[in-house]
Amino acid sequence: METIKAVFWKPDPQAQVRKCNRLIRENTRKLERDMFQLKNLESKTRQYIIQASKRAQRNPSQAKQAAAETRTFAREMVRIRKQSSRLATSKAQLQSVQMQVNEAFSVRKIEGSIRASTGIMKDVNTLIRLPELTGTMRELSQELMKAGIIEEMVGDSLPDDALVEGEDEEAEAEVDKVLGEILKTPEVPGTKIDAEPAAQEPAESEADLEDQEATLAQMRGRLEALKS
């Protein structure tokens, strides 16, 4: 029945605005879930950095290994924060789109016509290129085009390399900043060692290394899953 109506009658404006708002809410909830997961991941990464630094202070024989681990985890922290920032920006853009869409439909109700919005088109074109939102944003863009709010979309999904373009630039400086923030020292963790080391078993050191590598692999897997 709805299909037959769509052929002979124009879309119902109220149904259109409800569907647009529903799609925007779905995208917003998706971003909020991803941001929550990234927040938990950042908290865990902070703990791994602190644990590795403490191990270096307890046992000088593990200082070099532990210092390398703290920097590795700090690099992951930098990536997590960059992605969190990107998702927060995307959420703000979605909220802006929702306000503009509702305003456009309100104007249509008053004036009887609707004008294409370059502002909405720009925001939607940016959001549709994000891997996290590509599917539902394409559906939203189609609804907005049917309503005449936007004209056409030209963006494709950005490859991951493009999303993190420039990530390597000043990367080490950002890592140092993260370590200084978490460990409350400007020095690289592991370079200052306490005078009295605690005895450690070699087997325990190997086990710790394996645990850290497994943890890092899990973290990277979660981070990549949030990008997909």
Side-chain angles (χ1 to χ4, degrees), residues 200-218:
Q200 298 287 337
E201 294 291 335
E204 182 182 23
S205 175
E206 293 178 3
D208 287 343
L209 179 58
E210 291 177 359
D211 289 343
Q212 295 285 0
E213 290 176 347
T215 298
L216 186 58
Q218 291 176 358

mmCIF file of all heavy atoms in Angstrom, residues 200-218:
data_model
loop_
_atom_site.group_PDB
_atom_site.id
_atom_site.type_symbol
_atom_site.label_atom_id
_atom_site.label_comp_id
_atom_site.label_asym_id
_atom_site.label_seq_id
_atom_site.Cartn_x
_atom_site.Cartn_y
_atom_site.Cartn_z
ATOM 1 N N GLN A 200 63.281 -10.253 40.370
ATOM 2 C CA GLN A 200 62.245 -10.760 39.496
ATOM 3 C C GLN A 200 62.728 -12.033 38.820
ATOM 4 O O GLN A 200 63.905 -12.161 38.487
ATOM 5 C CB GLN A 200 61.893 -9.730 38.406
ATOM 6 C CG GLN A 200 61.331 -8.428 38.942
ATOM 7 C CD GLN A 200 59.919 -8.614 39.430
ATOM 8 O OE1 GLN A 200 59.244 -9.535 39.013
ATOM 9 N NE2 GLN A 200 59.491 -7.751 40.339
ATOM 10 N N GLU A 201 61.806 -12.934 38.616
ATOM 11 C CA GLU A 201 62.147 -14.177 37.937
ATOM 12 C C GLU A 201 62.192 -13.944 36.436
ATOM 13 O O GLU A 201 61.330 -13.266 35.889
ATOM 14 C CB GLU A 201 61.078 -15.243 38.251
ATOM 15 C CG GLU A 201 61.051 -15.667 39.696
ATOM 16 C CD GLU A 201 62.283 -16.450 40.086
ATOM 17 O OE1 GLU A 201 62.892 -17.049 39.197
ATOM 18 O OE2 GLU A 201 62.630 -16.442 41.267
ATOM 19 N N PRO A 202 63.178 -14.494 35.701
ATOM 20 C CA PRO A 202 63.238 -14.348 34.253
ATOM 21 C C PRO A 202 61.976 -14.851 33.576
ATOM 22 O O PRO A 202 61.496 -14.262 32.635
ATOM 23 C CB PRO A 202 64.454 -15.212 33.858
ATOM 24 C CG PRO A 202 65.309 -15.240 35.090
ATOM 25 C CD PRO A 202 64.338 -15.230 36.237
ATOM 26 N N ALA A 203 61.435 -15.964 34.074
ATOM 27 C CA ALA A 203 60.232 -16.524 33.463
ATOM 28 C C ALA A 203 59.071 -15.556 33.576
ATOM 29 O O ALA A 203 58.248 -15.440 32.672
ATOM 30 C CB ALA A 203 59.871 -17.853 34.132
ATOM 31 N N GLU A 204 59.025 -14.835 34.701
ATOM 32 C CA GLU A 204 57.948 -13.867 34.894
ATOM 33 C C GLU A 204 58.067 -12.736 33.895
ATOM 34 O O GLU A 204 57.085 -12.237 33.372
ATOM 35 C CB GLU A 204 58.008 -13.317 36.326
ATOM 36 C CG GLU A 204 56.884 -12.344 36.632
ATOM 37 C CD GLU A 204 56.987 -11.791 38.020
ATOM 38 O OE1 GLU A 204 58.101 -11.785 38.583
ATOM 39 O OE2 GLU A 204 55.950 -11.349 38.546
ATOM 40 N N SER A 205 59.327 -12.326 33.585
ATOM 41 C CA SER A 205 59.551 -11.269 32.617
ATOM 42 C C SER A 205 59.032 -11.679 31.242
ATOM 43 O O SER A 205 58.394 -10.897 30.543
ATOM 44 C CB SER A 205 61.048 -10.943 32.543
ATOM 45 O OG SER A 205 61.277 -9.996 31.521
ATOM 46 N N GLU A 206 59.315 -12.906 30.846
ATOM 47 C CA GLU A 206 58.846 -13.387 29.546
ATOM 48 C C GLU A 206 57.323 -13.467 29.522
ATOM 49 O O GLU A 206 56.679 -13.123 28.524
ATOM 50 C CB GLU A 206 59.445 -14.761 29.264
ATOM 51 C CG GLU A 206 60.966 -14.726 29.057
ATOM 52 C CD GLU A 206 61.533 -16.126 28.827
ATOM 53 O OE1 GLU A 206 60.724 -17.071 28.770
ATOM 54 O OE2 GLU A 206 62.756 -16.255 28.706
ATOM 55 N N ALA A 207 56.752 -13.911 30.640
ATOM 56 C CA ALA A 207 55.298 -14.005 30.704
ATOM 57 C C ALA A 207 54.667 -12.618 30.616
ATOM 58 O O ALA A 207 53.649 -12.425 29.942
ATOM 59 C CB ALA A 207 54.872 -14.690 31.999
ATOM 60 N N ASP A 208 55.276 -11.644 31.313
ATOM 61 C CA ASP A 208 54.768 -10.279 31.261
ATOM 62 C C ASP A 208 54.819 -9.736 29.839
ATOM 63 O O ASP A 208 53.894 -9.059 29.390
ATOM 64 C CB ASP A 208 55.588 -9.354 32.178
ATOM 65 C CG ASP A 208 55.287 -9.622 33.646
ATOM 66 O OD1 ASP A 208 54.248 -10.256 33.920
ATOM 67 O OD2 ASP A 208 56.083 -9.212 34.498
ATOM 68 N N LEU A 209 55.921 -10.018 29.143
ATOM 69 C CA LEU A 209 56.064 -9.537 27.778
ATOM 70 C C LEU A 209 54.980 -10.118 26.876
ATOM 71 O O LEU A 209 54.376 -9.415 26.067
ATOM 72 C CB LEU A 209 57.450 -9.895 27.236
ATOM 73 C CG LEU A 209 57.749 -9.461 25.787
ATOM 74 C CD1 LEU A 209 57.595 -7.961 25.640
ATOM 75 C CD2 LEU A 209 59.150 -9.912 25.375
ATOM 76 N N GLU A 210 54.728 -11.420 27.042
ATOM 77 C CA GLU A 210 53.688 -12.064 26.237
ATOM 78 C C GLU A 210 52.318 -11.476 26.543
ATOM 79 O O GLU A 210 51.508 -11.253 25.646
ATOM 80 C CB GLU A 210 53.693 -13.573 26.502
ATOM 81 C CG GLU A 210 54.926 -14.288 25.960
ATOM 82 C CD GLU A 210 54.929 -15.767 26.317
ATOM 83 O OE1 GLU A 210 53.976 -16.199 27.005
ATOM 84 O OE2 GLU A 210 55.859 -16.478 25.910
ATOM 85 N N ASP A 211 52.066 -11.213 27.837
ATOM 86 C CA ASP A 211 50.786 -10.619 28.227
ATOM 87 C C ASP A 211 50.617 -9.233 27.623
ATOM 88 O O ASP A 211 49.538 -8.873 27.143
ATOM 89 C CB ASP A 211 50.675 -10.531 29.755
ATOM 90 C CG ASP A 211 50.500 -11.909 30.390
ATOM 91 O OD1 ASP A 211 50.138 -12.846 29.653
ATOM 92 O OD2 ASP A 211 50.732 -12.026 31.608
ATOM 93 N N GLN A 212 51.689 -8.438 27.653
ATOM 94 C CA GLN A 212 51.623 -7.087 27.111
ATOM 95 C C GLN A 212 51.385 -7.103 25.608
ATOM 96 O O GLN A 212 50.610 -6.307 25.079
ATOM 97 C CB GLN A 212 52.929 -6.317 27.419
ATOM 98 C CG GLN A 212 53.167 -6.060 28.894
ATOM 99 C CD GLN A 212 52.270 -4.964 29.443
ATOM 100 O OE1 GLN A 212 51.475 -4.391 28.710
ATOM 101 N NE2 GLN A 212 52.375 -4.676 30.724
ATOM 102 N N GLU A 213 52.050 -8.022 24.905
ATOM 103 C CA GLU A 213 51.877 -8.126 23.459
ATOM 104 C C GLU A 213 50.446 -8.553 23.117
ATOM 105 O O GLU A 213 49.843 -8.031 22.173
ATOM 106 C CB GLU A 213 52.879 -9.126 22.875
ATOM 107 C CG GLU A 213 54.322 -8.613 22.902
ATOM 108 C CD GLU A 213 55.313 -9.655 22.421
ATOM 109 O OE1 GLU A 213 54.916 -10.841 22.309
ATOM 110 O OE2 GLU A 213 56.460 -9.284 22.132
ATOM 111 N N ALA A 214 49.913 -9.497 23.904
ATOM 112 C CA ALA A 214 48.540 -9.943 23.680
ATOM 113 C C ALA A 214 47.554 -8.808 23.945
ATOM 114 O O ALA A 214 46.590 -8.613 23.197
ATOM 115 C CB ALA A 214 48.226 -11.135 24.580
ATOM 116 N N THR A 215 47.814 -8.051 25.012
ATOM 117 C CA THR A 215 46.947 -6.924 25.345
ATOM 118 C C THR A 215 46.976 -5.878 24.251
ATOM 119 O O THR A 215 45.937 -5.337 23.851
ATOM 120 C CB THR A 215 47.412 -6.289 26.676
ATOM 121 O OG1 THR A 215 47.293 -7.260 27.724
ATOM 122 C CG2 THR A 215 46.551 -5.073 27.014
ATOM 123 N N LEU A 216 48.174 -5.582 23.757
ATOM 124 C CA LEU A 216 48.307 -4.581 22.697
ATOM 125 C C LEU A 216 47.576 -5.025 21.434
ATOM 126 O O LEU A 216 46.917 -4.223 20.763
ATOM 127 C CB LEU A 216 49.791 -4.350 22.396
ATOM 128 C CG LEU A 216 50.126 -3.228 21.402
ATOM 129 C CD1 LEU A 216 49.577 -1.906 21.902
ATOM 130 C CD2 LEU A 216 51.627 -3.141 21.193
ATOM 131 N N ALA A 217 47.682 -6.316 21.117
ATOM 132 C CA ALA A 217 46.991 -6.850 19.938
ATOM 133 C C ALA A 217 45.479 -6.714 20.094
ATOM 134 O O ALA A 217 44.763 -6.362 19.151
ATOM 135 C CB ALA A 217 47.378 -8.312 19.721
ATOM 136 N N GLN A 218 44.964 -6.973 21.311
ATOM 137 C CA GLN A 218 43.537 -6.838 21.574
ATOM 138 C C GLN A 218 43.091 -5.381 21.440
ATOM 139 O O GLN A 218 42.040 -5.083 20.872
ATOM 140 C CB GLN A 218 43.204 -7.352 22.972
ATOM 141 C CG GLN A 218 43.344 -8.865 23.125
ATOM 142 C CD GLN A 218 43.096 -9.319 24.558
ATOM 143 O OE1 GLN A 218 42.855 -8.504 25.441
ATOM 144 N NE2 GLN A 218 43.169 -10.612 24.791
#
